[in-house]
Amino acid sequence: IICCPPPLQMQFMLLFSRQGKLRLQKWYVPLSDKEKKKITRELVQTVLARKPKMCSFLEWRDLKIVYKRYASLYFCCAIEDQDNELITLEIIHRYVELLDKYFGSVCELDIIFNFEKAYFILDEFLLGGEAQETSKKNVLKAIEQADLLQEVRLGGGDLHGI
Amino acid sequence: PSNAAPPPRPGRRRPQRPQRRPSRRSIKMPAVSKGDGMRGLAVFISDIRNCKSKEAEIKRINKELANIRSKFKGDKALDGYSKKKYVCKLLFIFLLGHDIDFGHMEAVNLLSSNKYTEKQIGYLFISVLVNSNSELIRLINNAIKNDLASRNPTFMCLALHCIANVGSREMAEAFAGEIPRILVAGDTMDSVKQSAALCLLRLYKTSPDLVLMGEWTSRVVHLLNDQHMGVVTAAISLITCLSQKNPDEFKTCVSLAVSRLSRIVSSASTDLQDYTYYFVPAPWLSCKLLRLLQCYPPPEDGAVKGRLVECLETILNKAQEPPKSKKVQHSNAKNAILFEAISLIIHYDSEPNLLVRACNQLGQFLQHRETNLRYLALESMCTLASSEFSHEAVKTHIETVINALKTERDVSVRQRAADLLYAMCDRSNAKQIVAEMLSYLETADYSIREEMVLKVAILAEKYAVDYSWYVDTILNLIRIAGDYVSEEVWYRVIQIVINRDDVQGYAAKTVFEALQAPACHENMVKVGGYILGEFGNLIAGDPRSSPLVQFNLLHSKFHLCSVPTRALLLSAYIKFINLFPETKATIQEVLRCDSQIRNSDVELQQRAVEYLKLSSIASTDVLATVLEEMPPFPERESSILAKLKKKKGPGAVSVSDLDEGKRDGGGELNGAGERGPESSVVSTPSPSADLLGLRSAPPVGSAAQGAGSLLVDVFSEAGPLAPASGVNDDGFLRFVCKNNGVLFENQLLQIGIKSEYRQNLGRMYLFYGNKTSVQFVNFTSTVSCPGDLQSHILCTPPVDPLVEGGAQLQQVLNIECLSDFSDAPLLNIRFRYGGALQNLTLKLPLTINKFFQPTEMGSQDFFQRWKQLSLPQQEAQKIFKANHSMDKEVLKAKLLGLGMALLENVDPNPENFVCAGVVQTKAQQVGCLLRLEPNIQAQMYRLTLRSSKDTVSKRLCDLLAEQF
């Protein structure tokens, strides 16, 4: 039986490079690995085929894709048809700002080599596809606190580092 | 330009810079990633990046996997750091797209580490690679439980993030009770509250039955008043979801949301400090507040409503103010709120002033230099077009929208423009819009052509004032985009021409002219063949279109056509023989030639042979009867509309707006206004095979029916009706032995049934109760008879488009049983609630036993008849386990409810029950005998049904076996 449809929900977020390499994937709805791979393949292709001046939204299957390119990386969110496109575009931007602030002028390599950090920052900002904390200061404070915590407990990572 | 150049430019330095290990990062950022630089991981990532080929990469990965496996299996216990490093490598490999089937246990071990980064990596691994191994889940849940109890906020947040990321049923079972407590506890840190709120939301979405808000409701709602903006931002998502499902319990959130919104909207751009985004105060929270309000009707309290209207006006005013920043982020955030406010205004659909202002604002955006804004304005205007208050205002932008359709460079924007034109179309501008869409079709992108064709066809039909315009439009459609004209479209034009005698002559003339073109689309030949075959006589007076000219024209296309079209043309030829005896010799000649009468296609050959024979042996009278003009088709919902709906899927705004009867009552070709109460036979949701309605066409005479069934073959290629999916039949079986009760109930809607039956007639009253306080919009309930059921029962349903909050709507179905049947009709209910389309299909509890006439008889009589019905196919028997009480009185009550006569003192065994009755159908009466033998000890029954018709015995037996 189909009745009350679930409330609007961001479905997933993907980061991929101009070459089509997936750099980060976050799924907010349960899907099989096979389905995830299929979606990723199709979507990367579709988005890369678009021209620069085109609009940042496109209908894809029954979803709406909101994407934006930052340097060599595409940030791409799938939302439901009725959801707010512009605020999603700014969710992407705020995430980019957070990465930028944390890494200091972030670039693709930072995300490749510190992918776990990119995930941690995303989890502080968005949880279950919903904005958890939109203040840049508060998100970074949480991440920095965690970083600090590890220093205290570990007492000098260099012992293990090499 | 601002869109193209965002302020922070990550990676603006060298896109191709040399390999750089993150360890160097620590020099630049001493506070960050000092201790956890996992050198081994960085080396591995570099190696992978240096791989020249996919094979090299796979080789390197396999080497690493073997290494990690041996480390995990080795005798030496790994320290936490190594474990973390290897788990992280596995994660990296997984994210590259390779399968990982080990390491879960090591990751789970990390969860209980007291070192934060180890724990963190453990949780990340678990979140990404969820595993359903139950032993692991127990261990994971245990670790989460410990962290939740640790009172260390960073640990608690990690655990909550993990639950929110995984969100499995097992986790809901373990934590759904605990998290609300954490959320509302006075001493919980703000950051933990934020995670707890969204974690709970995720659990509620996966397992709503496990998340019981009851006692927490009021405290959760009051999180809207929390001092910490982050807590409000997180909590409101939870509250919105809960309100959607339980609007009444969360009603108090409306006034709280309004006052919160009002404070934000009226605050200066610096008041909210870090929650101000590019000079826009709290854009995310504002959007969410406006979204929450869309779960409810306008506030009843005058003061609250006044305050809200003020907020909406302020938001509209701000759109006119000069921007505080040139950055695109500023305007995006501001407009995100504006669009959400407009959605709320449209949702209320009660403030004409705001609706018109919204429309004017969107009108400005239509010409904005930002493609994104033009796209959104077109999209949002589509919904405004359906409001009676703003429909006219939307129409004033027609030229801009037409221009967008012609000049936009992005196809997705053009698509929006086409949608909007469709939505703003009414009788006043239909000719202009249809003409523009037709001319756009000539160059339209292939991806949207089919949809455009459907839309043009619908508009042409819906707003046709004169039918010649309609015929012209459809023929143009075929000429311009013949490949995209689906069967539904050309079937429909034929239906309409056949049903309208005022357009038949014009149609014949126009198709005749269209066929003159040296190259015409096959669909044109189909329409031409059919129409000239029926109405060619209307233009035969003109020597330029004499019968023979018409025939030669049609036949000149014959050899280029596919088999189904040729078959159709052959039927047209035999109709010509009837219409114009002077063509008989020529046509017989054609039929007789080898390429017809010996055609390798069996269908064509058969037609040629039969038609030739028919034309030679039948008298003119017989021929005239057999080949009589087609009878009118029963009026019904346009199947093109149904096709478009299917194409767009539920929730497509532009489609639902044009649902029948929304804006214009009469005037439509097949509008409800023109339908007599009796004339509509069955409302069928367009099985495409049956589009011409040939199957349900009333027989005019047996001979004519014969000709009809020949023609059916032409169309029989279209697929059968797709099986109804998602049909709810929970309530269905409960009504076999009773006539009244509740058929269906959820949080929004209750459907009650009262029904009465006499002989082969029945009347069913359906009561739709709106359980919410909000109006249901576009409410439709349609009864359909899948398959060939409609030849067995007839239902005539009326429909009402609106159900007020708390109100009840009644629908009456008049039912006639024509012959015995097995399947049940389907009841499809659709409506919009809070903007979301609800769609529900139920099996209507209409079963063959409802038409029973009880028959009293004595023992001797009973057994004599029992013996008469002794053919194996007349009997159906089932032996089954008791599912309900075997109490004698209960059984009696059920059997009486069945509608047969319960015969006392007939069966020699007093424990057994026997019944007799006659099923009354229009076609025949079917006598039935029943015997039910309970075995209390074994808790079993044997049920035997005998009747003069095998289908009836079988169906009754199946139905009844579920009842005891």
Side-chain angles (χ1 to χ4, degrees), chain A residues 1-9 21-23 25-30 33 36-37 50 53-59 64 68-71 81-87 89-91 93-94 96-97 100-110 112-117 119-120 123-125 127-128 130-138 144-151 153-154 157-158 160-162, chain B residues 3 6-8 10-13 17 19-20 22 25 28-29 31-39 42 45-46 49 79 81 88 91-92 94-95 97 99 114-117 120-121 124 154 161 164-165 194-195 198 201-202 205 228 230 233-234 237 241 244 274-275 277-278 283-284 287-288 291 328-329 332 335-336 339-340 371-372 375-376 379 410 412 416 651 653 726 728 744 746 836-840:
Chain A
I1 166 154
I2 324 127
C3 59
C4 206
L8 301 182
Q9 158 87 52
K21 289 241 186 210
L22 192 58
R23 296 302 180 204
Q25 46 176 316
K26 188 79 186 180
W27 305 86
Y28 296 114
V29 285
D33 284 343
K36 287 177 187 172
K37 280 184 185 167
R50 290 180 58 89
K53 286 276 173 181
M54 284 187 165
C55 100
S56 313
F57 321 124
L58 67 124
E59 277 168 35
K64 201 156 258 168
K68 187 157 174 172
R69 183 182 157 185
Y70 289 87
D81 186 48
Q82 307 284 309
D83 214 339
N84 191 317
E85 294 93 342
L86 284 176
I87 207 73
L89 206 50
E90 294 318 299
I91 280 190
H93 188 75
R94 170 104 311 172
V96 173
E97 285 185 345
D100 196 59
K101 189 91 182 173
Y102 181 79
F103 288 110
S105 292
V106 69
C107 69
E108 195 181 336
L109 281 177
D110 292 315
I112 296 172
F113 280 97
N114 302 283
F115 68 95
E116 78 283 8
K117 292 283 182 213
Y119 277 98
F120 297 145
D123 268 357
E124 288 293 335
F125 173 43
L127 192 56
E130 299 281 347
Q132 172 173 227
E133 177 55 86
T134 60
S135 151
K136 197 155 56 169
K137 251 186 232 159
N138 289 353
E144 275 157 22
Q145 258 170 7
D147 283 336
L148 225 60
L149 208 60
Q150 116 221 329
E151 273 182 58
R153 302 254 168 147
L154 272 170
D158 289 346
H160 304 274
I162 299 159
Chain B
N3 193 17
R12 69 184 110 80
R13 303 156 304 167
R17 67 177 163 179
Q19 292 293 315
R20 189 180 48 117
R25 283 250 146 259
K28 213 176 84 190
M29 287 188 299
V32 174
S33 66
K34 206 177 196 177
D36 75 326
M38 288 176 276
R39 187 158 176 103
I45 296 175
S46 292
R49 286 177 53 75
D79 59 18
Y81 169 80
C88 217
L91 195 55
F92 181 79
F94 176 77
L95 291 171
D99 294 332
N114 63 350
K115 285 173 187 151
Y116 182 76
T117 41
Q120 201 181 20
I121 295 291
L124 180 61
T154 19
H161 290 180
N165 281 325
Q194 288 165 272
S195 299
L198 293 175
L201 171 61
R202 176 66 196 261
K205 282 178 181 169
H228 191 280
T233 307
S237 299
C241 180
Q244 258 157 350
D274 209 36
Y275 289 92
Y277 179 83
Y278 293 86
W284 285 279
C287 285
K288 286 185 176 196
R291 172 70 63 175
V328 71
Q329 284 73 28
N332 277 353
N335 292 328
F339 277 105
E340 207 59 67
T371 314
N372 288 347
Y375 175 96
L376 294 174
E379 186 186 46
D410 186 344
S412 40
R416 290 280 79 83
V653 182
N728 180 323
F744 172 80
N746 67 8
L837 185 74
Q838 310 287 321
N839 185 349
L840 168 72

Side-chain angles (χ1 to χ4, degrees), chain B residues 297-444:
Chain B
E300 282 155 21
D301 183 318
V304 177
K305 189 173 180 193
R307 212 164 166 197
L308 177 56
V309 169
E310 217 170 275
C311 285
L312 296 171
E313 277 169 349
T314 311
I315 294 171
L316 285 166
N317 291 341
K318 281 189 178 175
Q320 296 297 326
E321 287 170 12
K324 293 196 173 67
S325 155
K326 283 208 173 95
K327 297 248 163 67
V328 71
Q329 284 73 28
H330 170 72
S331 68
N332 277 353
K334 199 166 124 178
N335 292 328
I337 299 172
L338 177 65
F339 277 105
E340 207 59 67
I342 291 176
S343 292
L344 182 63
I345 292 169
I346 295 171
H347 167 75
Y348 286 164
D349 199 15
S350 59
E351 300 285 329
N353 175 34
L354 289 177
L355 281 162
V356 171
R357 282 195 65 187
C359 186
N360 293 341
Q361 182 59 53
L362 295 177
Q364 288 182 18
F365 285 158
L366 285 183
Q367 316 215 38
H368 203 280
R369 62 193 164 80
E370 288 262 352
T371 314
N372 288 347
L373 279 182
R374 294 198 302 275
Y375 175 96
L376 294 174
L378 289 165
E379 186 186 46
S380 189
M381 248 191 200
C382 254
T383 33
L384 270 179
S386 66
S387 164
E388 54 173 314
F389 300 115
S390 48
H391 182 72
E392 288 303 316
V394 170
K395 275 166 61 186
T396 59
H397 299 288
I398 186 167
E399 297 302 334
T400 320
V401 182
I402 287 173
N403 197 37
L405 187 64
K406 287 177 178 161
T407 58
E408 282 290 349
R409 274 185 292 175
D410 186 344
V411 58
S412 40
V413 185
R414 289 197 296 272
Q415 166 93 62
R416 290 280 79 83
D419 285 349
L420 178 54
L421 282 180
Y422 178 74
M424 67 162 68
C425 191
D426 62 18
R427 211 165 314 141
S428 72
N429 55 20
K431 284 200 174 174
Q432 184 187 7
I433 286 179
V434 166
E436 290 295 348
M437 286 175 116
L438 271 176
S439 84
Y440 173 60
L441 252 179
E442 306 209 30
T443 54

